[in-house]
Amino acid sequence: MEILKISSKVWFVPPKVSKVRWLPPPNSSSNSSVGVVAVGSCDQSVNRVYLYGMDCNEQNTTYDPRQLCNATVHGCVSALQVTKGQQGGVTIVSATTHGNLYAHLIRNIDAFYAGGPQALDPESIDIEYPVLEEANSWKKSLHKGPITSLDIRSAENQVITAGEDGVVSLVDLNSGSKLLDILNPEGLAINCVKSISEKRIAIASNVLSICDTTAGTHTKIRPENKKTYFQTVAVHPLQRDFILTGTNEGNINIWDLRNNAYPVYSRPVHQDHVWEIQFNTTDPDKVVTCASESLCALDFNPMRTTIPDFGSKIKKGEKYGILHTELYGINSCDA
C-alpha cells in the first residue's frame, strides 16, 4: 500500500456538509466532464439532501458547482448512499440523527448530463434539471435514536441501517418492510455497518463483528488496545474477504477474513478518528480515507506479497499523498 499524490480544488457550498457521495453517470455519458454529487447537510434549521452539478474537467473548470435540487429531511444527515437500479434509475438513501430513513428517486438526471458543462451556466434556460422525489420514508420506526450508518445491497434492493441503540436493521426498498433486526453482541452503539455478502454483515463498534445472518453467529475481532475502537469499515468491491477498518486513533487496518487473528496490514495514517474509507468505483485498488484534519489517497492491492511501509512518511505538514486542512474539518469523502 502506498500513498498517492493529491491535487485539489476547493468550492464552497451553502449548507454545512455532513456527507457527500458521487452519483454514477449514465453509461452513455461515462466520459462526461460533468459530475453530480449528493450532499447531506447538518446543523441547519432545516436540513436537506442536495444535488450539485460540478465541472469535472481538470484542465479548464469554467463553472462553479450549481445547486440542482434539494429535498427536506428531519435531523442532521448522518449517513448517505447512492444506488443505481437495474432499470437505470438512481436512488439516494439518507439517514438522520432523528432516526429517520429516506429514499429519494432522481428524475431527469439523463437530461442534465446530456447538457454537458453548459448545464452549469447560471444563464442556461433550456436545461431540464433533476428533481428529487421521495419514494419511501421510515420515520423513527427502525431505531430508538439516531441512525449512525447505512449500506445498500443493490442486487436485492435492500438497505442495512445501524444506530446508537446497538441494532442493525435490514429493510426492503421496494415494499418498505423490515426484514431483519440484529442486536450488536456487545450491546453498544454501532459506528458503521457494511454488507460483505448476502449472508455476512460487518458491524463496527468497540469490536469488529462479522455477523452470519443465516446462522445467527458472530465472529469478533478485537483491537489490541482496549482504548481503540473501530470507527468505519470498507469492503473491497471485488475481493470481499478483504476489508479495511479505520479507528478512533487514526489507524488503517487491512483484514483478511479467511484468517482474521491479526490484521494483514496496520499503519497510522491520520492523527484522529478515521471518519470514512471509500474504494474508487472504477478502480477498486484506489482508496480514499478522511479524518477531521486530513484526506488521504492510497493505492491498495491485497494480492501483493509485500506491502510498502509508508508509516514513516506520515507526519504533520507532510504534503505528499495527504491533503491537510487547517481551517475546515473533513466530515466525509468519496472516490
Side-chain angles (χ1 to χ4, degrees), residues 16-32:
K16 181 178 179 181
V17 176
S18 60
K19 294 294 176 182
V20 60
R21 294 290 181 267
W22 284 107
L23 265 64
N27 293 331
S28 59
S29 304
S30 58
N31 294 321
S32 173

Side-chain angles (χ1 to χ4, degrees), residues 14-284:
K16 181 178 179 181
V17 176
S18 60
K19 294 294 176 182
V20 60
R21 294 290 181 267
W22 284 107
L23 265 64
N27 293 331
S28 59
S29 304
S30 58
N31 294 321
S32 173
S33 62
V34 176
V36 178
V37 64
V39 170
S41 74
C42 65
D43 297 340
Q44 308 295 302
S45 56
V46 178
N47 287 292
R48 293 180 170 89
V49 172
Y50 299 83
L51 289 187
Y52 279 90
M54 307 184 75
D55 187 349
C56 299
N57 187 339
E58 296 183 0
Q59 303 300 322
N60 182 23
T61 302
T62 304
Y63 302 106
D64 289 335
R66 182 172 184 180
Q67 185 185 139
L68 307 177
C69 59
N70 66 76
T72 301
V73 297
H74 298 285
C76 293
V77 177
S78 54
L80 187 69
Q81 295 290 349
V82 178
T83 180
K84 193 171 184 178
Q86 296 179 351
Q87 303 301 320
V90 180
T91 301
I92 297 177
V93 183
S94 59
T96 73
T97 53
H98 285 190
N100 299 332
L101 182 71
Y102 300 87
H104 288 94
L105 291 174
I106 305 176
R107 304 294 188 188
N108 305 331
I109 189 68
D110 290 355
F112 172 76
Y113 279 117
Q118 289 72 26
L120 300 174
D121 188 341
E123 297 182 1
S124 295
I125 58 175
D126 298 328
I127 303 297
E128 188 176 8
Y129 288 100
V131 176
L132 286 176
E133 177 185 301
E134 185 175 308
N136 216 331
S137 64
W138 299 259
K139 297 179 179 176
K140 300 183 179 180
S141 61
L142 301 176
H143 295 272
K144 297 177 180 178
I147 297 175
T148 55
S149 179
L150 71 85
D151 197 20
I152 297 177
R153 289 176 167 173
S154 298
E156 295 83 11
N157 210 27
Q158 297 172 348
V159 177
I160 304 170
T161 63
E164 287 189 1
D165 57 359
V167 173
V168 173
S169 293
L170 181 64
V171 178
D172 187 289
L173 272 177
N174 291 325
S175 66
S177 59
K178 183 190 290 190
L179 305 176
L180 184 67
D181 267 347
I182 303 169
L183 183 64
N184 182 1
E186 297 297 301
L188 299 174
I190 299 170
N191 297 323
C192 187
V193 63
K194 290 292 179 182
S195 175
I196 302 173
S197 65
E198 186 179 353
K199 298 180 180 180
R200 293 189 298 171
I201 296 173
I203 302 171
S205 58
N206 63 322
V207 304
L208 179 64
S209 179
I210 308 302
C211 174
D212 186 320
T213 57
T214 302
T217 58
H218 292 264
T219 301
K220 299 178 183 179
I221 301 173
R222 298 186 182 275
E224 293 183 3
N225 187 340
K226 292 184 178 180
K227 294 182 179 180
T228 302
Y229 56 86
F230 297 103
Q231 185 69 44
T232 187
V233 180
V235 182
H236 194 283
L238 302 179
Q239 303 174 73
R240 307 295 290 182
D241 281 317
F242 285 99
I243 65 173
L244 272 66
T245 57
T247 73
N248 60 310
E249 296 177 334
N251 288 355
I252 299 295
N253 305 315
I254 302 176
W255 302 87
D256 183 346
L257 297 182
R258 295 165 296 188
N259 181 16
N260 54 27
Y262 299 97
V264 175
Y265 180 85
S266 180
R267 287 293 183 272
V269 175
H270 297 283
Q271 301 168 18
D272 201 349
H273 295 72
V274 181
W275 295 127
E276 288 189 331
I277 303 172
Q278 298 288 347
F279 282 94
N280 187 291
T281 53
T282 57
D283 186 354

Side-chain angles (χ1 to χ4, degrees), residues 296-309:
C296 187
L298 305 171
D299 183 13
F300 169 78
N301 187 341
M303 300 310 294
R304 289 179 181 150
T305 55
T306 60
I307 304 176
D309 180 358

